[in-house]
Amino acid sequence: MSMVGGLRRMARLARRIRRVDLSHPARSPLGSTVVNCVVYRDGKRLADSGGVAETVRHLRRHAGRGGFVWLGLHEPSEAEFAGVAELFGLHPLAVEDAVHAHQRPKLEQYGDVLFAVFKTVTYVEHEALTATSEVVDTGELMVFTGPDFVVTVRHGRHGSLGPLREDLEAHPEQLAYGPSAVLYALADHVVDEYLAVVDAVQNDIELVETEVFAPRTAPAADPGRIYQLKRELLELKRATVPLARPLDALITRPPAVVDPAIRPYFRDVGDHLARATEQINAFDGLIDSILQAHLAQVTVAQNEDMRKITAWAAIVAVPTMVCGIYGMNFEHMPELRWAYGYPLVLSVMATACFLLHRGFKRNGWL
């Protein structure tokens, strides 16, 4: 059990340490679709045996000595994956899901083969959050786990497993537990990425929150940015929430292909997933509150503008009324021929406007 304890540490190191990206076609000796194909025995990587089929045959010729093969692929086509499916005896339904992607996180068992789907996420760096900013980029990772093999199929522009593979190879005592050790490391790595993205998204939320509740002299927050952030958070929720049931199955009803020594460690992955899910749900509620507060501020600002317009209209109405009366051109009007009539009327209008302005300002309308 103490030997397996290092798996959690290595999965997290894989997220922080940037190493050679083995998924890059130019670095892959097996082509652009097959990222890597390696045989491990007693946790140690054996020398390359050539193609995929030759590697698997080499492993199974020495089946009595244990070991397993880890085959990694990136966005294979149906034709490219057909040979792999036949070689490992993969179920057609699982093969279809692995090729076409766009699947929910799930866990299915076909005979002695376990098929798991994980949604991978990464935080997209941006100089400023706008109404069209991409904050979260998602991909998919399909994992076939058998008695003597692990087949990983990756979809998306991110989520390279090269660093994780290198860290596992640096600790052969962990790989000695077989394919289930790789499955655990992959699950822990994916969920730790969730936590990293959640922490990064929190900074964007705090920035928007600060702008919404900033003093009125500051520029008003853009509601489009708030809504875009909510949409991106929804993408993150779609990756994390459905994964709870597959992890629960690995914790409470682990298949036979999962080594008994590895099973307890899926609880740790489940705890991390629960933490990420709780934070995402809290962020979702917080963004709703921020959006409602922003709309309330807009409503208040509009009411203030309407009060100001109404107050000025009332002030302007006094001279308008007086001028309208004296512009009717009747011959017999009060003080029409008085020498001080004109100054008196102007004084009355000015005094009335001043008193109205003072009263409105005292009440906060101006």
Side-chain angles (χ1 to χ4, degrees):
M1 293 289 288
S2 60
M3 297 173 63
V4 186
L7 280 169
R8 185 193 322 169
R9 180 183 66 257
M10 288 185 299
R12 292 171 185 166
L13 284 174
R15 175 168 55 87
R16 295 194 297 265
I17 301 175
R18 300 302 178 190
R19 301 191 179 188
V20 176
D21 185 359
L22 299 179
S23 69
H24 196 286
R27 302 190 182 102
S28 174
L30 303 174
S32 59
T33 298
V34 178
V35 176
N36 219 327
C37 182
V38 181
V39 173
Y40 298 95
R41 182 173 291 119
D42 297 327
K44 297 180 180 178
R45 176 174 180 159
L46 303 184
D48 294 338
S49 304
V52 176
E54 181 60 31
T55 300
V56 175
R57 282 194 292 268
H58 174 77
L59 170 68
R60 292 177 175 172
R61 277 198 301 266
H62 304 85
R65 298 171 58 185
F68 68 96
V69 60
W70 182 357
L71 172 64
L73 303 99
H74 180 252
E75 298 184 352
S77 64
E78 292 185 16
E80 292 169 329
F81 199 64
V84 175
E86 182 180 0
L87 184 64
F88 292 102
L90 305 180
H91 196 278
L93 291 177
V95 170
E96 182 180 0
D97 290 344
V99 171
H100 296 290
H102 303 296
Q103 304 296 319
R104 285 169 54 89
K106 61 182 179 179
L107 182 71
E108 297 176 345
Q109 187 169 6
Y110 300 94
D112 58 353
V113 178
L114 194 64
F115 176 62
V117 177
F118 300 99
K119 282 280 190 180
T120 59
V121 299
T122 188
Y123 180 76
V124 180
E125 297 290 344
H126 45 271
E127 294 182 0
L129 181 64
T130 66
T132 58
S133 293
E134 184 180 15
V135 179
V136 177
D137 185 24
T138 60
E140 292 183 41
L141 176 64
M142 285 76 169
V143 185
F144 295 88
T145 307
D148 60 354
F149 67 87
V150 176
V151 177
T152 55
V153 181
R154 185 168 60 87
H155 292 266
R157 298 170 294 177
H158 66 276
S160 170
L161 302 178
L164 178 61
R165 184 191 289 266
E166 291 184 2
D167 280 314
L168 284 171
E169 291 177 353
H171 297 80
E173 68 277 7
Q174 317 302 334
L175 280 173
Y177 283 91
S180 57
V182 177
L183 177 62
Y184 163 74
L186 292 171
D188 196 41
H189 173 67
V190 168
V191 173
D192 278 351
E193 283 292 333
Y194 294 163
L195 293 173
V197 173
V198 165
D199 291 339
V201 171
Q202 183 176 4
N203 295 331
D204 287 331
I205 296 176
E206 290 175 351
L207 178 62
V208 171
E209 185 179 21
T210 301
E211 291 183 358
V212 168
F213 295 100
R216 296 183 182 180
T217 55
D222 181 8
R225 299 171 58 191
I226 304 175
Y227 184 71
Q228 176 66 12
L229 191 57
K230 185 174 179 62
R231 285 178 59 89
E232 293 295 305
L233 196 64
L234 180 61
E235 288 293 322
L236 189 56
K237 182 182 289 188
R238 288 173 179 169
T240 58
V241 173
L243 185 58
R245 292 185 61 184
L247 278 181
D248 182 68
L250 287 172
I251 295 170
T252 59
R253 303 179 303 277
V257 71
V258 179
D259 192 287
I262 300 294
R263 294 174 185 176
Y265 289 88
F266 282 105
R267 296 196 192 100
D268 181 69
V269 181
D271 291 341
H272 292 176
L273 179 65
R275 174 190 163 194
T277 303
E278 290 172 359
Q279 285 185 278
I280 293 170
N281 290 333
F283 289 163
D284 194 28
L286 179 59
I287 291 178
D288 287 339
S289 300
I290 292 173
L291 185 58
Q292 291 175 1
H294 177 70
L295 294 178
Q297 288 178 341
V298 171
T299 302
V300 170
Q302 290 176 343
N303 290 337
E304 291 180 353
D305 292 340
M306 288 302 299
R307 284 201 301 266
K308 291 179 180 180
I309 294 172
T310 303
W312 282 113
I315 294 172
V316 173
V318 173
T320 302
M321 179 185 65
V322 176
C323 293
I325 292 174
Y326 275 85
M328 296 173 70
N329 297 322
F330 288 109
E331 183 177 354
H332 303 286
M333 295 185 69
E335 314 301 340
L336 186 62
R337 298 186 180 277
W338 185 38
Y340 299 101
Y342 181 68
L344 177 63
V345 171
L346 291 180
S347 300
V348 170
M349 289 191 297
T351 302
C353 291
F354 172 76
L355 293 176
L356 286 173
H357 183 274
R358 185 177 180 181
F360 288 140
K361 193 170 184 179
R362 183 186 300 115
N363 293 330
W365 284 42
L366 291 175

